[in-house]
Amino acid sequence: MFKKVLRRVAIGLAVIIVVLAGVQLYLLRGTPGKAITPTNSSVKYSATPTLLIPGWGGNTWTYTKLIDYYQDQNIATNAMVVRVAPTGAVQVSGSLKGKQNPLIQVIYDWNYSTTYQPQVRELTQVLQVLATKYHVQKLNVIAHSYGGTELLHAYIGSKTLQREIALQKVVFLGVPVDESFGTNTKYTKWLFKKSHDQIFKTMLKEVKEAQLPRGLVFYNWMGSDEGKSTTDGEVPQIQSLMLKTLIKHKHVHYHQHIFTDTTHMELHQRVKIIKKIAHVIWGKE
């Protein structure tokens, strides 16, 4: 009897493991690309790729709605999916060749760590592969949550990447830059002196020597959850506003916006925001 119970338990655990593995593979599959015709009169087309970086625990689902909308509206196409493992191994599917407004979807094999530092190393590897193997010299970026934090650390901390890839337009969606402060803290230009985020302090030193491209534009967009005017429910706005301190001595164009009644997740799911992203990256003047 006891052996039968153990056997049933073992079979049950095996089934659960198989199901979970299947779900994980599904979430890491990447959003299917769809060819577009460059006929949208409100869109400016070019060969400059746009990198899509998910946040903590983000996966294929993060940007599927955004990608599908852009492809249906002939705005941009998901030309490439880049998967990166914790070892730094990068696997690329798709091609940028001949594509107009190509999207590059980043998928982390595992991004459930207690810190974003492993993903900083992995994203650095992705950017190096794009520069050396795929000759990406200019790049737009859409980054949600820790995805944007990772981009800042990877790019500002690497003189090689600064030489090889010129960032153009970067849209940050609920991105924490300095995690020292909570929802009750008001932004001031001297607030960094009270920071106890050692990683942010390191980046403050690195940015002094960083060669950021002239003409670089940062769009710092935040949410304001219903009844919570200073947070999107997960990231306090003050943590995102510290981006202003980080780049204050750099020739970077900075724009910020707070979307009311918008949660952290809705920053990459609301059609209103998806349309606004398209306008700032590909819209005609």
Side-chain angles (χ1 to χ4, degrees):
M1 180 67 179
F2 182 68
K3 290 183 178 180
K4 288 184 179 180
V5 172
L6 284 179
R7 189 180 300 114
R8 288 174 182 173
V9 170
I11 292 172
L13 288 174
V15 170
I16 291 172
I17 291 171
V18 169
V19 170
L20 290 176
V23 170
Q24 182 70 358
L25 287 173
Y26 179 78
L27 292 175
L28 299 179
R29 73 195 188 284
T31 306
K34 176 182 174 183
I36 65 170
T37 53
T39 55
N40 191 318
S41 60
S42 64
V43 172
K44 183 161 50 178
Y45 295 95
S46 79
T48 301
T50 298
L51 194 69
L52 309 178
I53 311 173
W56 184 91
N59 47 51
T60 296
W61 174 84
T62 302
Y63 291 115
T64 288
K65 185 173 182 177
L66 176 148
I67 292 169
D68 287 345
Y69 179 86
Y70 291 162
Q71 294 186 149
D72 289 344
Q73 298 298 317
N74 287 313
I75 295 172
T77 180
N78 201 29
M80 184 178 283
V81 175
V82 180
R83 297 176 182 83
V84 56
T87 60
V90 176
Q91 180 183 8
V92 178
S93 59
S95 172
L96 300 174
K97 191 174 293 185
K99 304 292 176 59
Q100 293 293 303
N101 293 352
L103 303 173
I104 303 173
Q105 186 179 23
V106 175
I107 304 289
Y108 294 112
D109 283 352
W110 184 261
N111 56 348
Y112 300 98
S113 307
T114 55
T115 171
Y116 54 78
Q117 287 303 302
Q119 280 68 59
V120 173
R121 295 189 291 272
E122 292 166 33
L123 182 61
T124 299
Q125 185 64 20
V126 168
L127 291 170
Q128 289 173 343
V129 168
L130 291 176
T132 57
K133 291 188 177 182
Y134 296 92
H135 311 294
V136 172
Q137 297 177 328
K138 295 181 179 181
L139 192 65
N140 300 316
V141 179
I142 302 169
H144 179 248
S145 197
Y146 271 162
T149 316
E150 294 150 15
L151 174 72
L152 287 169
H153 286 285
Y155 195 76
I156 290 174
S158 172
K159 293 184 187 290
T160 300
L161 288 179
Q162 293 162 29
R163 287 193 301 267
E164 293 180 341
I165 298 179
L167 295 182
Q168 304 291 290
K169 298 176 181 179
V170 179
V171 179
F172 293 111
L173 303 171
V175 170
V177 179
D178 183 333
E179 297 186 271
S180 298
F181 311 109
T183 56
N184 295 325
T185 305
K186 184 178 180 181
Y187 176 81
T188 69
K189 62 182 180 179
W190 304 111
L191 187 61
F192 72 94
K193 293 186 176 183
K194 297 182 180 180
S195 173
H196 56 261
D197 186 331
Q198 295 302 319
I199 303 177
F200 174 73
K201 289 181 177 180
T202 298
M203 193 160 52
L204 276 177
K205 296 177 183 177
E206 292 174 338
V207 78
K208 292 178 181 179
E209 303 297 326
Q211 298 296 315
L212 302 184
R214 285 189 176 273
L216 173 60
V217 186
F218 282 164
Y219 297 92
N220 193 16
W221 293 354
M222 296 152 274
S224 176
D225 197 5
E226 185 176 359
K228 301 174 183 176
S229 60
T230 60
T231 177
D232 61 17
E234 293 187 37
V235 176
Q237 292 162 12
I238 184 62
Q239 295 184 4
S240 298
L241 290 170
M242 292 301 287
L243 178 61
K244 293 194 291 185
T245 295
L246 184 68
I247 61 169
K248 65 180 179 180
H249 296 304
K250 292 296 177 179
H251 298 285
V252 177
H253 301 285
Y254 174 87
H255 306 275
Q256 70 182 46
H257 184 81
I258 297 174
F259 293 91
T260 59
D261 299 329
T262 301
T263 65
H264 193 60
M265 181 186 71
E266 288 173 334
L267 284 167
H268 59 76
Q269 292 294 309
R270 293 186 67 185
V271 173
K272 172 184 176 181
I273 299 175
I274 291 172
K275 288 181 177 179
K276 191 173 178 68
I277 293 172
H279 177 71
V280 300
I281 293 182
W282 303 291
K284 292 182 177 178
E285 298 297 336

